[in-house]
Amino acid sequence: MAIKNNKNAKIPLIINCDTGIDDAVALMMAVKSEKFDIRLITTDVGNVGPVQSAINCNDILELIGGPEIPICAGEGKCLTREREHVAVHGKTGLGEYRFPKNSRKLLKEDAIEVLNRTITESQEKITILCVSPTTNLAKLFKKYPEVTKNIEKIVIMAASIEPTPKGEAPYPEFNISVDPEAAEIVFGAGVPMEIVPMEMGHSAYLDWQEVFKTKNTNFVGSVFEVMFRAYKDRHVKNGIAMHDGTAVAYMTNPELFKVSPVHTDIEYFESVDTGVMTMDFNKKPNAITCTEINIKKFKKLYFDLLKKCK
Ligand code: RIB
Ligand code: CA
């Protein structure tokens, strides 16, 4: 008997993140949307070290009254490059807010083994939301290439769709350019890739009035406002970029976005001393990318979910 496609079924999800401030917003939105069965969170190289990111994930889950979710810190070493963690998100990765201690634990296992086990043993195909560099996923695919068979798709906050003159380097977006060799492996693994580029989070940024509204919404909002003070995205001078939040919104409310098939490559440019994602809308597509976001509806979604916190 055909199994009815149950529209209310929760999406089996793994989140790979580098919790940071916009990752924290994304985690709140994912949990409060109630649309995901979050099986595992792994933390990767990125805004801060993976152990701190993992602690930050538990602090945010405690703050929003979220469920216990298995959280495992990745190794934190890029495939080949030495990287220093940048303090774009403040010392702890969540700005200057000091979270009270909580009893939530972290998995003390190898993140690649946990990823492989969680995906392989799942009865349903798993969707991966990546809102960080892709180092954990590249290591997983290198060690266990068969695991891709049980992955539905990867939704990734990454890259820039801004056109650049031929031969010039596109903007080196962080989640690709911290570990471009890893991104090359992940985008080449044959898993359907859906990209939420940085222009979405830049255009859907919270302005100062909306930051003030966040603060006055509830206690969680007041904590977010303290965190926001440390978020310095060079492209957004008058507010807070919502990069990772837009990736969650793309999964929960795809109707807020316009998308297009696109051909992506990872190319290396001396001018930026790393690899960047190039996008070509005229070549044979190998991914889908968002091209537009309904800013007003995104912000309504953000506040509606924030109001579900206390
Ligand atoms: O370029 C923005 C991305 O880099 C976001 O995911 C942010 O959290 C950082 O990881
Ligand atoms: Ca991130």
Side-chain angles (χ1 to χ4, degrees), residues 26 29 61 121 125 133 152 177 233 240 258 280 308:
M29 293 177 70
L61 287 169
E121 291 176 1
K125 282 196 166 190
E152 180 71 26
S177 300
D233 179 306
I240 304 297
K258 283 200 177 131
D280 187 332
K308 291 173 75 175

Side-chain angles (χ1 to χ4, degrees), residues 17-29 46-48 53 56-57 60 63 86-97 99 131 206 211 214 223-233 239-245 302:
C17 56
D18 58 340
T19 305
I21 294 166
D22 62 324
D23 304 67
V25 171
L27 186 54
M28 179 280 286
M29 293 177 70
N47 294 320
V48 284
S53 286
N56 291 348
C57 287
I60 294 298
L63 172 73
V86 289
V88 167
H89 297 249
K91 225 174 28 271
T92 67
L94 291 182
E96 303 313 312
Y97 190 80
F99 289 84
V131 285
L206 296 184
V211 170
T214 295
V223 173
F224 275 19
E225 187 272 332
V226 173
M227 287 168 21
F228 287 165
R229 296 176 200 168
Y231 191 10
K232 310 268 178 289
D233 179 306
I240 304 297
M242 285 281 117
H243 293 297
D244 298 345
Y302 161 75

